[in-house]
């Protein structure tokens, strides 16, 4: 799997994932239909829109309740959702508060991509993520490496 750190969104290919805390809903662009969908950014909730590109706004809950275990669990929930939706390439915006727990969030996201079907006799088409673009001013490359290493050990 290819993980690239970027300072800003490079292209509109793939799906844009916007993890959002409840306190930050007002900071999102007006193009997102938050009020019409009554989206509140509760933990694990999501809102899917196609304006301006395929975008999933993913609720992280309240900032004060967000911990490392929350980050891992929410990464796993997001990964399962993406796997089920057969999404293979994403651009993931990383809010400052999530950047602190980036390793845990990525571990959950990557480990959730594991498919037990690889051990069955007839292989099925894989719907695993194959590209993740991390969008943030500063990305801890060591945290990304550690998360990838943890996920790879789960694949064995």
């Amino acid at each position: 799997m290819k993980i690239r750190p970027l300072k800003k969104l490079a292209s509109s290919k793939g799906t844009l994932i916007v993890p959002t805390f409840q306190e930050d809903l007002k900071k999102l662009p007006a193009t997102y239909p938050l009020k019409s969908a009554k989206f509140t950014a509760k933990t694990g909730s999501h809102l899917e829109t196609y304006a301006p590109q395929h975008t999933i706004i993913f609720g992280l809950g309240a900032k004060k309740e967000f911990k490392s275990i929350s980050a891992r669990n929410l990464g796993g929930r997001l990964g399962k959702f993406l796997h089920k939706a057969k999404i293979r390439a994403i651009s993931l915006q990383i809010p400052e508060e999530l950047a602190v727990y980036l390793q845990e969030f990525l571990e959950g996201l990557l480990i959730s991509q594991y498919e037990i079907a690889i051990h069955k006799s007839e292989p099925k088409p894989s719907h695993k993520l194959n590209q993740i673009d991390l969008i943030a001013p500063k990305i801890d490359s060591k945290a990304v490496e550690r998360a990838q290493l943890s996920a790879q050990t789960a694949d064995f």
Side-chain angles (χ1 to χ4, degrees), residues 12-75:
S12 60
K13 288 183 180 178
T15 300
L16 176 63
I17 309 294
V18 183
T20 304
F21 288 99
Q22 289 174 328
E23 297 87 347
D24 295 338
L25 278 176
K26 293 179 181 168
K27 295 179 186 177
L28 292 175
T31 55
Y32 298 140
L34 300 175
K35 289 182 181 168
S36 63
K38 297 180 182 170
F39 183 71
T40 59
K42 288 198 297 191
T43 304
S45 64
H46 70 276
L47 174 67
E48 207 166 344
T49 182
Y50 288 87
Q53 74 179 79
H54 185 214
T55 304
I56 299 170
I57 303 168
F58 190 72
L60 297 175
K63 286 181 184 179
K64 65 181 180 187
E65 297 170 7
F66 196 74
K67 307 277 187 263
S68 65
I69 192 72
S70 309
R72 187 173 288 112
N73 289 339
L74 286 169

Side-chain angles (χ1 to χ4, degrees), residues 118-133:
I118 61 172
H119 301 294
K120 294 187 176 180
S121 57
E122 276 196 41
K124 293 182 180 178
S126 178
H127 301 296
K128 288 176 144 183
L129 279 173
N130 59 14
Q131 181 176 336
I132 300 174
D133 292 339

Side-chain angles (χ1 to χ4, degrees), residues 83-100:
H83 192 272
K84 195 173 185 179
K86 300 177 183 174
I87 295 172
R88 301 191 67 205
I90 62 169
S91 297
L92 179 64
Q93 286 187 338
I94 308 293
E96 259 183 67
E97 295 83 359
L98 181 58
V100 174

Side-chain angles (χ1 to χ4, degrees), residues 83-155:
H83 192 272
K84 195 173 185 179
K86 300 177 183 174
I87 295 172
R88 301 191 67 205
I90 62 169
S91 297
L92 179 64
Q93 286 187 338
I94 308 293
E96 259 183 67
E97 295 83 359
L98 181 58
V100 174
Y101 301 113
L102 181 62
Q103 178 181 340
E104 291 84 352
F105 188 81
L106 286 176
E107 282 174 1
L109 179 65
L110 297 173
I111 289 172
S112 70
Q113 299 297 301
Y114 177 75
E115 294 175 334
I116 192 123
I118 61 172
H119 301 294
K120 294 187 176 180
S121 57
E122 276 196 41
K124 293 182 180 178
S126 178
H127 301 296
K128 288 176 144 183
L129 279 173
N130 59 14
Q131 181 176 336
I132 300 174
D133 292 339
L134 300 174
I135 304 165
K138 187 178 178 187
I139 299 288
D140 181 2
S141 59
K142 295 284 186 195
V144 173
E145 287 175 25
R146 288 189 301 265
Q148 285 183 300
L149 184 61
S150 293
Q152 287 171 354
T153 58
D155 266 345

